[in-house]
C-alpha cells in the first residue's frame, strides 16, 4: 500500500494523525475530538473526515454511535501497511518491527529459496540477475538499494512457481523496504551483493539444499545489520516528526 507522504493537505493530515496514534501520543482507546483536531490543524471537517477514513482503513481508528471516533487497540492495526510500518519506526519501535520481520523471513525465505532452486525458469534467472546487477549499481543510494533488494526477493518468490508464494512478497515488501532503508541510510555495512549472489548461484545450479543454506546465511547477516542500526535509526526517524 502506498504511503501518503506528500499528497497535499490530505496527506499531511493522515501523516500527522497516523504518527501521533502509532507513536502513542494519542493513546489506544482515546476518543478523538474531530472538530477540535480540525481546528488545531486549521483544516475543514471534510478534509478531517476523509483523512480519518484512511486511518480507519489501516485499522488505527473506528467510530461508533455514542462513543464517537476512537483509537483502536494495536491488535487491530494493519502492521503490514507501509505507513504503519514507517510510523512505528519513527515512533521508536524499530527494534520490535525488525525483530518480528527477521523471524518471519527466517521461517519463510529459506524454504522459498529451496523451492526456487527446484522450479526456476530461465525467465526467473534473468529477473534475479537484473535485480542483483541493480543492487551493485546503487552506489550508496539508500532508496535505490532498498528497491533493488526488494526486486531480488520478489523475483525469488515468483521463481517458486507457487501462485500464493508469488504474491506473498506483498506482505513482506513494506517491512523489507523499511529495513533496507534504515540499514543503508545509517550504516556503511558489508557489500550485500556476494550473499545474494550465493543464493542466485545455488538457484541457477538447481541445488535446493545449497539455496536454503545460502538464504539462511544471508538472513543472519541481514539480521546483524539491522540490529546494529536500530537504535540510531529509530531516533533519527522520530526527530523528523518532532521528537
Amino acid at each position: 500500500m502506498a504511503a501518503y507522504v506528500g499528497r497535499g493537505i490530505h496527506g499531511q493530515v493522515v501523516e500527522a494523525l497516523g504518527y501521533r496514534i502509532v507513536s502513542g501520543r494519542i493513546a489506544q482507546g482515546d476518543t478523538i475530538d474531530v472538530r477540535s483536531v480540525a481546528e488545531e490543524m486549521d483544516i475543514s471537517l471534510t478534509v478531517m473526515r476523509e483523512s480519518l477514513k484512511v486511518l480507519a482503513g489501516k485499522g488505527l481508528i473506528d467510530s461508533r454511535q455514542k462513543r464517537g471516533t476512537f483509537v483502536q487497540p494495536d491488535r487491530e492495526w494493519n502492521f503490514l501497511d507501509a505507513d504503519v510500518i514507517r510510523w512505528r519506526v519513527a515512533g521508536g519501535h524499530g527494534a520490535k518491527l525488525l525483530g518480528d520481520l527477521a523471524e518471519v523471513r527466517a521461517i519463510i525465505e529459506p524454504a522459498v529459496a529451496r523451492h526456487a532452486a527446484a522450479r526456476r525458469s530461465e525467465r526467473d534467472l534473468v529477473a534475479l540477475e537484473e535485480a542483483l546487477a541493480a543492487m551493485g549499481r546503487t552506489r550508496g543510494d539508500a532508496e535505490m538499494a532498498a528497491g533493488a533488494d526488494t526486486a531480488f526477493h520478489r523475483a525469488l518468490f515468483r521463481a517458486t512457481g507457487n501462485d500464493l508464494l508469488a504474491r506473498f512478497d506483498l506482505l513482506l515488501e513494506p517491512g523489507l523496504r523499511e529495513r533496507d532503508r534504515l540499514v543503508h541510510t545509517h550504516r556503511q555495512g558489508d557489500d550485500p551483493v556476494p550473499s545474494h549472489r550465493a543464493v542466485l548461484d545455488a538457484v541457477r545450479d538447481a541445488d535446493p539444499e545449497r539455496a536454503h543454506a545460502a538464504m539462511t546465511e544471508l538472513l543472519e547477516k541481514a539480521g546483524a545489520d539491522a540490529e546494529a542500526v536500530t537504535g540510531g535509526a529509530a531516533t533519527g526517524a522520530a526527530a523528523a516528526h518532532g521528537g
Side-chain angles (χ1 to χ4, degrees):
M1 187 176 294
Y4 269 77
V5 176
R7 296 188 181 180
I9 186 63
H10 175 236
Q12 293 172 31
V13 174
V14 170
E15 180 69 13
L17 286 178
Y19 173 71
R20 289 185 194 181
I21 292 169
V22 175
S23 67
R25 292 189 176 187
I26 302 177
Q28 298 172 43
D30 279 1
T31 298
I32 297 174
D33 187 330
V34 175
R35 188 174 297 276
S36 176
V37 174
E39 290 176 357
E40 174 204 335
M41 293 186 167
D42 194 24
I43 58 174
S44 69
L45 283 174
T46 299
V47 170
M48 183 66 182
R49 290 187 182 112
E50 289 302 312
S51 300
L52 291 174
K53 286 180 183 178
V54 174
L55 296 176
K58 298 174 185 293
L60 300 184
I61 64 171
D62 196 5
S63 297
R64 294 179 189 170
Q65 285 187 344
K66 298 184 179 180
R67 182 173 179 182
T69 300
F70 61 94
V71 178
Q72 293 258 66
D74 60 8
R75 65 177 177 271
E76 302 295 335
W77 299 357
N78 180 2
F79 284 128
L80 296 173
D81 179 88
D83 289 318
V84 175
I85 288 172
R86 184 166 45 76
W87 294 328
R88 289 184 72 196
V89 173
H93 301 289
K96 170 64 173 169
L97 169 68
L98 297 184
D100 288 350
L101 176 64
E103 285 187 0
V104 172
R105 295 183 70 194
I107 293 168
I108 295 171
E109 291 198 68
V112 166
R114 177 188 281 127
H115 285 297
R119 301 172 179 172
R120 90 291 184 279
S121 66
E122 288 302 315
R123 182 177 179 179
D124 294 323
L125 293 176
V126 169
L128 287 164
E129 280 286 3
E130 289 177 348
L132 193 61
M135 200 179 299
R137 295 193 301 266
T138 57
R139 296 190 181 93
D141 185 309
E143 292 299 327
M144 286 182 62
D149 193 12
T150 301
F152 182 92
H153 291 274
R154 183 188 305 120
L156 196 67
F157 272 88
R158 291 177 179 171
T160 63
N162 182 306
D163 289 341
L164 295 181
L165 281 175
R167 293 287 75 194
F168 206 83
D169 68 297
L170 294 175
L171 299 181
L172 293 182
E173 183 171 334
L176 181 59
R177 277 188 174 274
E178 188 64 23
R179 177 260 168 211
D180 283 348
R181 187 189 66 78
L182 290 175
V183 169
H184 292 292
T185 298
H186 294 272
R187 173 178 171 149
Q188 295 298 321
D190 295 335
D191 183 358
V193 172
S195 57
H196 287 75
R197 169 59 67 185
V199 174
L200 174 52
D201 287 347
V203 170
R204 176 181 287 104
D205 293 344
D207 189 332
E209 294 311 311
R210 181 153 61 93
H212 184 283
M215 178 55 75
T216 299
E217 185 174 343
L218 184 158
L219 292 175
E220 288 174 353
K221 178 182 177 299
D225 288 343
E227 219 173 274
V229 304
T230 299
T235 301
H241 288 83

